Amino acid sequence: MDAITLDDLNPAQREAVLAVEGPLLILAGAGSGKTRVLTYRIAYLLAEHKLRPGQVLAVTFTNKAANEMRERVARLVGAGLAPRWIATFHSFCARILRQEAECLGYRGNFAVFDENDALAVAREIIAAADLAHAPTAELAYAQIEQAKNEALWPSDLVRTASNPRQLAVAEIYRRYQERMQSLNALDFGDLLILTYRLFAEHPEALARWQERFTHILVDEYQDTNRAQYYLVRALAGKSLNLCVVGDEDQSIYRWRGADIRNILDFERDFPNARVFKLEQNYRSTKTILAAAQTVVRNNRNRKPKELWTTNEVGEPITYYTGFSEREEAEFIVSEIQRLGASGRAALNEIVVFYRVNAQSRPLEEALVRRRIPYRLVGGLRFYDRREIKDLVAYLRVIANPADELSLERILGVPPRGIGARTIETLKAHAGRRGISFLEALGEAESLSEIALSIGKKASAFYQWMRELAVRPSAMTVREVLEEVLAGTEFLTHLDGMPDASARRENVGELLSAAATFDAAHGAGGLVQFLESVALLSESDEVRGQGGVSLMTLHTSKGLEYPVAFIAGMEEGLFPHSRSQDSEPELEEERRLLYVGMTRARKLLYLTNARSREIYGSRQEARPSRFLLEIDPALIRRLGEPAQSQPPPTSTNGTYVDYRDGDPVFDDADEDQTGNGMLRVGSRVSHPSFGAGRVRRLEGRGESAKAWVDFERVGVKLLVLKYAKLRPIVG
């Protein structure tokens, strides 16, 4: 094998590659070439220090990253000499356990259960245990998974339990492990915690693997959980040749077990460790890099480093505030069109980031209206999400009681004890009687083939649905949705899921979508609303692979784009409301923004709205505190300043609005109510909301609407035809 040349490395990278012996921490800033350093380091160990391929272990987090590292090393040293142990943590642990499983009471041919299979076991355990304080299977499984990430066994949970619910989870965990062992099956968490137990309880096994691996490299060390930390520390305990690469400023997975202490405390754990900093950024402009650093420097739990670049200064960061989330989305889409038309960026070079999945809804709708291709990365389209499809199914049955497919879906959401066998019996009964499936539900109580308790539930459901189905002509879509949520305790049903908060946010966004639709159509528009949802859901033809990328900020890690938008820069959204009372969570939110900002190579946009529909009600929004942490000299301000007085008009007294393509101008002083007294700035009174001031007028005739800032309830969007606004004179 030829000698490895290091000419492609900068001085800091070269120094990190050449430091062969002992513990080593490489702090790799965003865009600083950490993968290059890792691959060259492996190649250097093989070529210059004559290590055998089997002596080097390199672990990372995704199959994509492992494959890329393996391919790069093979190009440097030749395919025959590339290490056989470049793998993800889970696949590495699985390979060890295949050889050592009998030490732990398993057979080497164990099955690895995915989440669905593991959940099925959890449901079986909970049903058989009949514990008084047992949570749902989904929630119990999530808590068991978290315990495994922290290297905790059932006995550990019993010791720290402070209430009956936690004791129930510990008991479910114990029985779950017994059942999995009887099946000779492991879940993903088992791969980690059982390998850790193997090393902790069987020193002879640990010694075998310590002897095999003389050099260990760990990628993305800031993302390791406690179980992974213990594994790595045990394996490196003899040789101490441990090289970890990471960046605490990019630690954004605390919610799934990542422990930032692992990287922050590395020098404490290995007192003789050497630290190298990769601070040259090859990705972003000087402006973007400077702005990102001014944000993340506000975190206390970090290691000091100063990223720099020889790239161009670049353009200022664009900061835009819209009046609503719809206007924010329209601005983003209009900018995407403008960049494409001018040749500055192709659609596949543009990404729109957001903090929570629910934010994708107005963005998707704006893109569909202009027929701009897009792809949703790492998630489902808004109307494809399970809880949204469930609620839309309720609306479809209310609008069309003959929709048997939707009816069958909602019978089990939330669960009512009406199972598959009962449904088949009712369908057969409907066929014999020549009635609809819904009408058959109403007769379930009289059928001998169905248990009386189940028949009563079916009949009660039929009665509720029949009463609701005759009312939509006098109700807004949002009112119908609220009836469904109240009548089914749907939100309580969601609370039994580990991702309940995100699902509740999606339900809130559906209420917002309904309210926006109602503002334009008034009451009685349920059928039209469902039609608009169906058309949006069937818009796959505008979602080609070459389109704009939409994704949450958590999905952004490891990616880069010439142009990036970060939407929803508002308090309570980003930083998220859950972080308000927790300094560690607030710092993680700041790191999340840093990661998003440093994905951008050429252009970066930060956007927010003055008001946003949250859980179905419009609320005034405050700019994110993170915006105040950016040097104002790096920002170009567009749109209406948040917390301002009424939005500025153009010289001729009209407003500029981004709607369905080119800007639309509405006369600010037009008589839209017929009384000649309603204008922007007018004081008005509403029978429910009280006194307020008109902030904006848009539309004409029966579709005329007003944005009114009420003293008690904040900003509301009202259809003037139905609003019953009364001018306050004087």
Side-chain angles (χ1 to χ4, degrees):
M1 178 174 59
D2 296 333
I4 297 297
T5 176
L6 305 181
D7 293 344
D8 291 340
L9 304 179
N10 67 36
Q13 292 172 335
R14 188 180 302 113
E15 194 176 2
V17 167
L18 293 174
V20 172
E21 301 296 328
L24 184 67
L25 169 61
I26 302 176
L27 294 173
S32 63
K34 71 174 180 63
T35 304
R36 171 173 289 192
V37 170
L38 274 172
T39 54
Y40 268 86
R41 183 176 173 82
I42 294 170
Y44 186 77
L45 289 170
L46 297 172
E48 303 299 330
H49 285 261
K50 309 305 180 185
L51 266 65
R52 297 188 305 276
Q55 291 179 287
V56 178
L57 168 67
V59 287
T60 186
F61 280 84
T62 66
N63 288 314
K64 178 183 176 182
N67 291 336
E68 181 183 357
M69 198 184 305
R70 195 179 299 114
E71 291 167 4
R72 287 197 188 189
V73 173
R75 286 198 294 269
L76 291 171
V77 301
L81 292 174
R84 295 185 294 271
W85 291 87
I86 297 179
T88 64
F89 269 101
H90 289 97
S91 60
F92 158 69
C93 289
R95 289 173 69 179
I96 288 180
L97 291 174
R98 293 290 179 198
Q99 300 180 45
E100 306 281 1
E102 291 186 4
C103 294
L104 300 170
Y106 292 81
R107 298 184 299 280
N109 64 341
F110 57 79
V112 178
F113 278 11
D114 63 17
E115 184 174 344
N116 288 332
D117 293 333
L119 268 173
V121 175
R123 291 190 185 98
E124 172 191 321
I125 294 300
I126 290 174
D130 193 27
L131 299 172
H133 298 280
T136 64
E138 289 82 1
L139 198 56
Y141 177 73
Q143 292 174 341
I144 291 170
E145 188 177 39
Q146 181 62 27
K148 291 178 180 179
N149 287 339
E150 296 174 9
L152 299 176
W153 210 237
S155 56
D156 298 312
L157 297 193
V158 171
R159 188 168 56 253
T160 59
S162 60
N163 57 58
R165 170 65 68 88
Q166 292 174 354
L167 285 171
V169 170
E171 178 62 16
I172 293 166
Y173 184 4
R174 184 186 68 79
R175 297 189 187 197
Y176 172 86
Q177 290 303 119
E178 289 178 352
R179 179 58 174 151
M180 291 289 283
Q181 189 164 3
S182 73
L183 295 169
N184 196 37
L186 277 63
D187 63 25
F188 292 141
D190 285 330
L191 294 172
L192 300 178
I193 196 171
L194 290 180
T195 307
Y196 161 61
R197 283 192 62 206
L198 171 74
F199 291 159
E201 299 173 7
H202 299 275
E204 73 287 354
L206 174 60
R208 282 195 296 271
W209 292 99
Q210 285 178 332
E211 190 68 29
R212 171 172 294 194
F213 300 125
T214 61
H215 283 77
I216 301 167
L217 301 92
V218 184
D219 189 18
E220 303 285 10
Y221 192 63
Q222 77 281 348
D223 293 335
T224 52
N225 60 34
R226 218 56 184 164
Q228 291 161 335
Y229 163 80
Y230 289 138
L231 280 173
V232 169
R233 198 173 68 171
L235 272 176
K238 181 179 180 181
S239 72
L240 294 180
N241 291 326
L242 172 63
C243 172
V244 302
V245 182
D247 179 10
E248 80 289 351
D249 287 338
Q250 298 185 71
S251 178
I252 60 173
Y253 299 121
R254 184 173 182 266
W255 52 277
R256 69 183 189 195
D259 193 335
I260 196 172
R261 293 177 299 169
N262 297 348
I263 191 168
L264 292 177
D265 295 344
F266 186 83
E267 294 153 275
R268 185 204 65 186
D269 295 334
F270 298 91
N272 297 322
R274 286 179 287 176
V275 179
F276 295 91
K277 297 180 182 181
L278 306 183
E279 297 173 299
Q280 182 175 359
N281 175 282
Y282 291 93
R283 179 186 301 150
S284 304
T285 65
K286 287 183 172 70
T287 297
I288 292 171
L289 196 59
Q293 290 197 101
T294 61
V295 171
V296 80
R297 281 196 202 106
N298 288 277
N299 277 357
R300 288 185 292 184
N301 290 304
R302 64 185 298 266
K303 294 177 179 290
K305 51 186 172 296
E306 291 294 326
L307 268 60
W308 58 277
T309 183
T310 60
N311 293 340
E312 63 184 349
V313 173
E315 296 187 21
I317 294 166
T318 299
Y319 171 28
Y320 171 83
T321 296
F323 199 78
S324 67
E325 70 277 10
R326 184 176 184 272
E327 187 170 284
E328 177 193 36
E330 292 294 347
F331 167 76
I332 290 171
V333 174
S334 71
E335 277 296 290
I336 290 171
Q337 277 191 322
R338 186 182 67 80
L339 292 169
S342 65
R344 298 196 63 190
L347 294 179
N348 63 359
E349 295 179 323
I350 301 173
V351 64
V352 184
F353 296 128
Y354 37 83
R355 176 62 181 83
V356 298
N357 276 308
Q359 286 176 260
S360 77
R361 195 268 305 173
L363 292 164
E364 290 184 71
E365 291 179 351
L367 288 162
V368 168
R369 279 196 295 273
R370 302 199 192 197
R371 302 195 63 76
I372 295 177
Y374 73 94
R375 62 192 187 106
L376 207 62
V377 180
L380 293 171
R381 289 179 300 162
F382 180 77
Y383 287 103
D384 285 341
R385 291 166 190 158
R386 175 175 146 190
E387 59 277 9
I388 301 304
K389 290 177 74 73
D390 290 338
L391 287 172
V392 169
Y394 272 99
L395 298 183
R396 285 179 173 151
V397 175
I398 292 167
N400 175 23
D403 186 345
E404 293 191 3
L405 190 64
S406 294
L407 177 57
E408 189 169 340
R409 180 185 185 103
I410 65 177
L411 280 175
V413 185
R416 298 180 172 84
I418 303 173
R421 183 176 300 176
T422 301
I423 288 172
E424 290 305 313
T425 300
L426 289 169
K427 284 182 176 179
H429 176 71
R432 289 193 301 269
R433 290 263 289 119
I435 58 178
S436 70
F437 181 28
L438 181 62
E439 290 172 318
L441 281 170
E443 299 181 0
E445 201 171 346
S446 63
L447 299 179
S448 59
E449 308 100 298
I450 296 175
L452 184 60
S453 60
I454 296 175
K456 287 183 176 180
K457 291 177 182 177
S459 296
F461 180 76
Y462 161 76
Q463 189 66 32
W464 177 68
M465 287 296 294
R466 189 182 69 169
E467 292 173 0
L468 192 53
V470 299
R471 295 168 54 200
S473 60
M475 300 171 70
T476 64
V477 177
R478 178 176 165 180
E479 287 170 342
V480 177
L481 267 173
E482 288 173 339
E483 286 271 355
V484 170
L485 292 171
T488 60
E489 296 187 344
F490 190 86
L491 294 177
T492 302
H493 161 65
L494 295 182
D495 286 340
M497 302 181 183
D499 52 354
S501 177
R503 294 183 186 274
R504 274 179 166 265
E505 287 169 350
N506 289 335
V507 172
E509 189 60 29
L510 182 62
L511 286 167
S512 299
T516 300
F517 180 89
D518 294 335
H521 296 81
L526 180 58
V527 172
Q528 291 83 355
F529 176 77
L530 291 169
E531 182 179 305
S532 70
V533 168
L535 291 174
L536 183 65
S537 298
E538 294 170 2
S539 62
D540 286 343
E541 68 274 10
V542 300
R543 296 181 66 246
Q545 291 300 306
V548 177
S549 296
L550 304 182
M551 69 185 78
T552 65
L553 283 154
H554 280 105
T555 310
S556 70
K557 190 77 173 295
L559 303 176
E560 61 179 63
Y561 289 83
V563 181
F565 293 81
I566 302 180
M569 295 292 299
E570 298 150 24
E571 284 293 304
L573 187 55
F574 196 22
H576 198 280
S577 58
R578 290 194 298 268
S579 70
Q580 301 296 316
D581 300 321
S582 168
E583 188 65 25
E585 290 191 13
L586 183 61
E587 291 206 349
E588 178 141 326
E589 292 287 295
R590 191 176 280 114
R591 293 193 295 269
L592 187 57
L593 176 58
Y594 173 78
V595 168
M597 295 175 75
T598 55
R599 300 311 96 189
R601 287 166 49 196
K602 300 288 187 183
L603 297 175
L604 175 62
Y605 293 78
L606 305 176
T607 68
N608 57 17
R610 267 210 68 203
S611 71
R612 188 175 296 270
E613 286 265 6
I614 300 175
Y615 295 116
S617 65
R618 182 159 294 280
Q619 300 178 17
E620 187 169 352
R622 292 187 294 121
S624 169
R625 70 190 70 185
F626 298 152
L627 291 166
L628 302 177
E629 297 173 355
I630 302 174
D631 183 348
L634 304 175
I635 293 176
R636 174 178 58 208
R637 192 74 169 83
L638 296 179
E640 177 198 356
Q643 304 291 6
S644 72
Q645 291 303 309
T649 64
S650 67
T651 55
N652 63 356
T654 59
Y655 283 96
V656 182
D657 185 19
Y658 290 94
R659 228 181 300 159
D660 303 328
D662 296 328
V664 175
F665 294 83
D666 288 334
D667 288 340
D669 291 330
E670 182 183 354
D671 175 9
Q672 298 185 38
T673 60
N675 60 20
M677 297 183 68
L678 190 61
R679 286 173 169 74
V680 169
S682 296
R683 296 252 311 148
V684 294
S685 176
H686 185 275
S688 299
F689 303 141
R693 189 177 298 277
V694 177
R695 294 294 201 182
R696 180 179 185 139
L697 298 170
E698 58 183 57
R700 293 176 175 82
E702 293 197 351
S703 63
K705 296 183 285 292
W707 296 85
V708 183
D709 191 354
F710 291 100
E711 294 171 0
R712 287 191 295 104
V713 297
V715 178
K716 298 287 183 182
L717 175 61
L718 305 173
V719 179
L720 295 179
K721 179 180 178 181
Y722 306 103
K724 299 179 181 177
L725 290 177
R726 186 169 52 82
I728 298 176
V729 181

